[in-house]
Amino acid sequence: MDHLTPQQRHKNMAAIHNKNTKPEMIVRRGLWKRGFRYRLNHKRLPGHPDLVFRKYRTCIFINGCFWHGHLVDSKTMESSVCCKIPTTNHDFWVAKIRRNKERDKEEQRKLAEMGWHCITVWECELKPKQREQTLDSIAFTVNHIWLQDHGAKSISLPQLEEKDMKMPMAAEADD
Ligand SMILES: [Zn+2]
């Protein structure tokens, strides 16, 4: 790396950075294409979600499988297919990944308390073969959340009306 000029190094770093944000771009483009509009990195929300759908009161986190310990049991902290915990400095990595997992959980708990729904998308779910299916399922989930939040109210209305209907009927009988 030392033979690189500052410009070359900068370009290199930028390329690495872009590569790191690629999963986020896949989700952004995929959901935009499916008609969803969102805000990016809502800084005031716990955990700074990658995407925020205000209309749906839903946050999306796009998690790297290694850093967030995908499929790693919090108790045993054994490596999974998605997250191979290095054998060198093993304890350090276990502690680090465990902390990340705990933080993720805590942030989502806070968001839930504030009335937000959270969707976690894992990097492995965005591999070319699974990508479209994953994006469809996010779109489905977001729509489902909206229906649950808004549909429940319209279901309870006819029940109220039915109860209210009894009063005028009773009044009618008295006549
Ligand atoms: Zn994974």
Side-chain angles (χ1 to χ4, degrees):
M1 293 291 257
D2 288 332
H3 61 276
L4 296 176
T5 65
Q7 286 91 341
Q8 280 174 320
R9 187 170 293 117
H10 179 80
K11 213 177 144 191
N12 216 21
M13 294 295 281
I16 290 163
H17 183 72
N18 283 341
K19 208 179 153 196
N20 287 343
T21 57
K22 211 181 153 207
E24 194 185 313
M25 287 307 296
I26 294 166
V27 176
R28 277 159 58 174
R29 285 203 202 100
L31 291 177
W32 186 272
K33 216 171 76 184
R34 284 163 177 78
F36 292 94
R37 299 297 175 256
Y38 46 76
R39 286 181 180 214
L40 302 174
N41 303 345
H42 212 297
K43 294 215 166 55
R44 280 180 300 177
L45 290 176
H48 307 159
D50 295 303
L51 272 77
V52 172
F53 299 93
R54 280 160 68 93
K55 185 183 156 192
Y56 301 86
R57 220 163 161 77
T58 297
C59 300
I60 296 190
F61 291 91
I62 299 144
N63 284 355
C65 292
F66 176 73
W67 292 105
H68 296 265
H70 191 204
L71 301 174
V72 172
D73 186 290
S74 314
K75 284 192 186 117
T76 63
M77 287 303 291
E78 277 169 23
S79 290
S80 70
V81 278
C82 275
C83 173
K84 302 241 178 293
I85 300 174
T87 44
T88 313
N89 294 325
H90 186 74
D91 292 349
F92 165 82
W93 288 108
V94 163
K96 185 159 189 70
I97 291 163
R98 178 180 275 141
R99 239 184 351 260
N100 288 346
K101 281 170 78 72
E102 279 165 3
R103 195 173 47 221
D104 290 345
K105 217 169 137 187
E106 179 59 17
E107 284 161 357
Q108 297 209 0
R109 194 188 59 76
K110 276 187 202 150
L111 283 162
E113 263 178 21
M114 293 163 71
W116 287 88
H117 303 274
C118 297
I119 297 175
T120 300
V121 184
W122 295 96
E123 210 177 335
C124 64
E125 296 169 327
L126 297 169
K127 283 178 190 164
K129 267 189 189 171
Q130 280 167 268
R131 191 172 295 169
E132 290 306 307
Q133 202 192 332
T134 299
L135 291 166
D136 282 344
S137 111
I138 300 168
F140 177 86
T141 306
V142 173
N143 278 324
H144 186 76
I145 285 168
W146 193 88
L147 283 174
Q148 271 198 324
D149 281 1
H150 296 81
K153 283 168 200 156
S154 60
I155 289 164
S156 67
L157 275 175
Q159 288 172 346
L160 276 175
E161 277 171 4
E162 202 177 42
K163 219 194 287 171
D164 291 341
M165 286 293 280
K166 282 175 188 163
M167 281 169 71
M169 272 169 77
E172 220 173 50
D174 281 343
D175 286 340

